[in-house]
Amino acid sequence: MTDLTPVLSATWDAEQSWKLSTYTDHGGYGALTKALGMEPADLIAAVKDSGLRGRGGAGFPTGMKWGFLPPDDGLPRYLVVNADESEPGTCKDIPTMLSAPHLLVEGVAITSYAIGSNHAFIYLRGEVVHVYRRLMQAVREAYEAGHLGKDIHGSGFDLDVTVHAGAGAYICGEETALLDSLEGRRGQPRLKPPFPAVEGLYARPTVVNNVESIASVPSIVGKGVEWFTAMGTERSKGMGLFSLSGHVAKPGQYEAPLGITLRELLEMAGGMRNGRPLKFWTPGGSSTPLFTDEHLDTPLDYESVGAAGSMLGTRALQLFDDTTCVVRAVTRWTEFYKHESCGKCTPCREGTFWLAQILERIEDGHGTDADIQQLLDTCESILGRAFCALGDGATSCITSSVKLFRDEYEQHIQQGACPFDHSASALFDYDSAPAPEEAHA
Amino acid sequence: MTYDGETLAQLEKDAAAILGRYPVARSALLPLLHLVQSVDGYVSPDGIAFCARQVDLTSAEVSAVATFYTQYKRRPNGEYQVGVCTNTLCAVMGGDEIWRQLSERCGVGHDETTADGRVTLERIECNAACDYAPVMMVNWEFFDNMTPERALRVVDDILEGRDVKPTRGSAKVAPFKEMSRVLAGFEDGRADEDQGLGEPTVVGLKAAREQGWEESK
């Protein structure tokens, strides 16, 4: 049995856990002092050695990303934190920033020092106003205490941090779309190369990292590389937040070493709701191919999940039991991708539109025998041909669900209706929901 | 431009503060649009012209940006934006039924506002609170673990002029314009307000303690 390892979440239930005083009482900003006494190159080497990989979905080695920056030319370079958490199922960065914003601010300070940046940005999605309050307060507290601003901890290092709120666009989680948005433009992805490390924000060298990646940095610096690499698997080191949601008895955030299995997590989470069987789940958000109960023992690390045909993604484990119609689920995700497609490239813009049309017609019972093949063909026209990963992600749930549950699609078409009772998968009884007049009582 | 002198002076003062956060002026555009919503309740033609002047763009260029983002409203918004998550997980867990009942109660559909201007209903995408599904957002504060009954009570309270409080977040939901000012990057002194911890946030931490984990300092 793999034990849980709260690191990022260790102080979330402390009294006023979001305050600077609480954070420093638990040793906060000690890692920053230590980092400022090190050479930036040694910090980058330490993060490389730790094996920390991007926690925002792609899993690219964080230290390597930092190392891609060209040599200092005396002009600005930037750190941009991707706090645009929007991938369906993903709900780990929001509680981190709500309960422990200083973990992120300290990580920002250490990372900025390591890469030689004097101005960092935290791009937060705009739809979480209380998280923005907490982040703005944390940054202000850090300035007042000398953890940000001029001559931090007497080191001679200066850093300004701007917390920026987006305005509702999933695509801004794509790092180059995020940069365009931060520059005051429509959030559309850029052609790569040049990569942000060479030409990022304002066409200057830029590191873009996810909240959880940056929040992991203080513990790596403070407790050491060996402490970090002792957790996880051979090539997926350290701990991460596993977010369980859906038809599970105790949904929530479980921080564990990479490589833990869903079977182990489910045991801690009290199993499935009402003991019903697990039908399908996403290992890392809606853009990762679906798994079933056959994958309960797949180690949740980058390699094992990849080898089993999906992606670790953001460790957003959305669990659905046997009351759930997979066609309904996939249709709704597809409507999401259609809505969030930025419109820049034709395969994604047009493809997601037609996928939604076809899926809606199948779910509504008006599908034809040719529709399933049409779905797969359209997915093939998008996969690998879209401008960014949104288009690829949109096809994952469709192709994987047709592979796993083709009979269910066929049932919809043959019966001319959805064979499921949608109310059975809800947490409340549709029938006992009060009529509008009774709601006042 | 039809802002009166006092409003314009305040807008210009706030805009200068926003511009001061960025090394390049155009980066201020998103917060400036939130600022305009904090005054007009939507991205008004006046607001677009104001933003354009601040960042030296044309009105057409500012409109092109504003229309890309769903949080910028093109018509006067209700005082309370009520969003029901109808993305897959919340929808399956009951969000669809919550949406149906709220829409029926308010007599409006997606992105429509009640006649009294109190509520704008919206079907929203995933708001990163899936461990609390089904989720509803009121002016972008969390209303977790909703049922039709709870959601209707919140909406009734708003329609009848009472304050509503989120399940995680501040002590009471700020009206749309006040909330928009926070999103423009102005603190409102309410960061320490709290509704206590939701169980899903700390369920893993508690489980770890049961396994004998202790925080090592």
Side-chain angles (χ1 to χ4, degrees):
Chain A
M1 189 71 178
T2 309
D3 278 347
L4 294 170
T5 49
V7 177
L8 308 180
S9 60
T11 60
W12 289 1
D13 63 350
E15 184 76 17
Q16 292 207 308
S17 62
W18 58 90
K19 300 287 280 184
L20 176 63
S21 53
T22 314
Y23 188 64
T24 47
D25 284 351
H26 288 82
Y29 290 101
L32 176 58
T33 306
K34 185 174 171 185
L36 292 170
M38 293 169 66
E39 286 299 319
D42 294 338
L43 275 171
I44 295 176
V47 173
K48 272 185 188 164
D49 292 344
S50 77
L52 173 66
R53 293 169 64 172
R55 298 294 193 237
F60 194 82
T62 304
M64 203 185 286
K65 213 173 187 181
W66 298 0
F68 284 154
L69 291 193
D72 185 9
D73 60 0
L75 294 170
R77 48 187 57 210
Y78 299 103
L79 170 66
V80 176
V81 177
N82 185 344
D84 191 54
E85 182 167 66
S86 309
E87 167 78 5
T90 309
C91 49
K92 63 190 180 65
D93 297 337
I94 293 299
T96 303
M97 293 184 284
L98 200 56
S99 297
H102 282 285
L103 205 50
L104 177 60
V105 176
E106 185 177 12
V108 165
I110 295 171
T111 306
S112 297
Y113 173 72
I115 65 167
S117 167
N118 300 112
H119 197 161
F121 296 84
I122 301 172
Y123 185 106
L124 175 70
R125 69 181 297 182
E127 302 105 316
V128 283
V129 66
H130 208 57
V131 178
Y132 196 32
R133 289 189 181 107
R134 292 263 165 96
L135 275 178
M136 284 194 290
Q137 170 167 284
V139 166
R140 179 171 46 76
E141 284 182 319
Y143 268 105
E144 287 163 6
H147 303 311
L148 296 177
K150 298 280 177 213
D151 191 20
I152 296 170
H153 294 196
S155 65
F157 174 63
D158 301 338
L159 176 65
D160 283 315
V161 174
T162 300
V163 194
H164 177 96
Y170 166 69
I171 187 60
C172 293
E174 197 282 338
E175 64 178 8
T176 61
L178 185 151
L179 293 174
D180 258 31
S181 179
L182 185 53
E183 290 183 3
R185 301 167 195 277
R186 295 164 76 92
Q188 294 190 313
R190 299 175 178 176
L191 191 64
K192 293 189 274 193
F195 287 92
V198 179
E199 288 183 35
L201 186 64
Y202 312 129
R204 293 293 305 160
T206 303
V207 167
V208 185
N209 281 147
N210 168 258
V211 168
E212 192 182 353
S213 309
I214 293 292
S216 299
V217 170
S219 61
I220 293 171
V221 172
K223 299 181 186 191
V225 169
E226 283 176 18
W227 163 83
F228 190 77
T229 55
M231 291 181 283
T233 59
E234 197 191 337
R235 288 174 60 205
S236 298
K237 297 297 184 190
M239 72 293 163
L241 289 160
F242 290 82
S243 309
L244 271 64
S245 63
H247 294 135
V248 54
K250 291 191 277 182
Q253 308 301 319
Y254 295 82
E255 195 172 1
L258 301 186
I260 196 168
T261 65
L262 178 58
R263 191 183 298 283
E264 292 175 301
L265 286 165
L266 258 181
E267 195 166 309
M268 298 173 204
M272 293 294 284
R273 174 188 74 146
N274 303 331
R276 296 200 73 98
L278 171 65
K279 180 175 173 181
F280 62 94
W281 55 292
T282 66
S286 60
S287 302
T288 61
L290 299 178
F291 273 175
T292 63
D293 60 356
E294 282 181 24
H295 304 93
L296 276 167
D297 295 311
T298 303
L300 295 172
D301 59 48
Y302 297 101
E303 294 72 32
S304 306
V305 176
S310 190
M311 289 178 286
L312 186 62
T314 52
R315 286 150 282 116
L317 282 59
Q318 307 174 88
L319 314 178
F320 298 91
D321 68 19
D322 63 341
T323 63
T324 314
C325 171
V326 78
V327 179
R328 179 187 179 207
V330 170
T331 302
R332 199 58 64 87
W333 278 321
T334 305
E335 288 168 343
F336 163 78
Y337 290 109
K338 181 192 88 170
H339 181 235
E340 300 298 337
S341 174
C342 78
K344 179 164 183 158
C345 76
T346 309
C348 176
R349 182 187 64 241
E350 302 300 319
T352 54
F353 173 84
W354 285 107
L355 288 172
Q357 299 278 315
I358 299 164
L359 280 162
E360 283 161 9
R361 135 172 122 200
I362 296 174
E363 169 66 5
D364 289 346
H366 305 298
T368 70
D369 290 334
D371 277 351
I372 300 176
Q373 191 55 46
Q374 183 61 59
L375 280 177
L376 296 176
D377 290 349
T378 306
C379 285
E380 205 181 301
S381 302
I382 299 173
L383 187 66
R385 295 175 172 84
F387 201 84
C388 78
L390 189 149
D392 292 351
T395 67
S396 291
C397 63
I398 298 174
T399 45
S400 62
S401 66
V402 169
K403 196 168 154 198
L404 294 165
F405 301 102
R406 192 179 184 107
D407 53 332
E408 210 167 296
Y409 281 87
E410 288 166 351
Q411 252 185 312
H412 279 75
I413 292 164
Q414 283 152 15
Q415 293 181 14
C418 176
F420 286 84
D421 170 12
H422 292 182
S423 69
S425 52
L427 285 189
F428 47 82
D429 194 344
Y430 277 23
D431 295 330
S432 75
E437 301 76 47
E438 293 162 6
H440 286 290
Chain B
M1 182 90 57
T2 54
Y3 291 118
D4 62 46
E6 196 184 329
T7 307
L8 189 60
Q10 182 65 44
L11 270 172
E12 281 175 345
K13 188 174 160 230
D14 290 339
I18 292 171
L19 283 157
R21 298 176 202 146
Y22 303 94
V24 174
R26 185 167 175 160
S27 281
L29 185 51
L30 266 64
L32 282 171
L33 288 163
H34 284 304
L35 179 70
V36 161
Q37 296 208 121
S38 79
V39 174
D40 290 336
Y42 73 116
V43 176
S44 61
D46 279 353
I48 287 173
F50 174 80
C51 291
R53 240 175 357 127
Q54 300 302 316
V55 294
D56 199 19
L57 293 175
T58 65
S59 292
E61 286 168 320
V62 172
S63 292
V65 173
T67 52
F68 186 82
Y69 299 93
T70 52
Q71 277 184 287
Y72 298 132
K73 301 300 171 187
R74 307 175 72 180
R75 295 179 295 279
N77 202 68
E79 213 172 334
Y80 292 86
Q81 176 82 21
V82 176
V84 180
C85 179
T86 53
N87 200 301
T88 297
L89 189 110
C90 278
V92 164
M93 308 281 283
D96 276 354
E97 177 66 7
I98 293 170
W99 167 260
R100 190 190 67 75
Q101 294 204 23
L102 286 193
S103 180
E104 191 178 288
R105 169 63 57 95
C106 295
V108 297
H110 168 68
D111 202 21
E112 292 176 0
T113 304
T114 54
D116 61 3
R118 290 287 284 171
V119 170
T120 298
L121 269 193
E122 187 177 358
R123 293 166 66 96
I124 59 170
E125 300 296 3
C126 184
N127 222 88
C130 317
D131 44 351
Y132 291 92
V135 171
M136 181 168 93
M137 305 296 292
V138 180
N139 285 349
W140 308 116
E141 297 252 25
F142 290 108
F143 286 71
D144 302 318
N145 299 120
M146 282 291 108
T147 62
E149 191 183 4
R150 282 180 218 149
L152 283 169
R153 198 175 302 137
V154 171
V155 163
D156 283 343
D157 281 342
I158 295 171
L159 291 173
E160 288 161 23
R162 290 186 289 273
D163 288 335
V164 290
K165 64 175 185 181
T167 52
R168 271 181 303 151
S170 66
K172 68 168 187 181
V173 173
F176 185 78
K177 289 181 182 175
E178 270 180 54
M179 178 275 298
S180 296
R181 187 171 170 82
V182 179
L183 293 186
F186 294 99
E187 288 192 80
D188 62 357
R190 299 179 60 189
D192 287 337
E193 291 179 11
D194 194 47
Q195 297 287 352
L197 283 164
E199 187 63 23
T201 298
V202 288
V203 65
L205 188 53
K206 287 182 179 173
R209 291 212 176 92
E210 280 164 25
Q211 292 174 345
W213 172 83
E214 283 176 47
E215 197 199 343
S216 53
K217 290 201 174 171

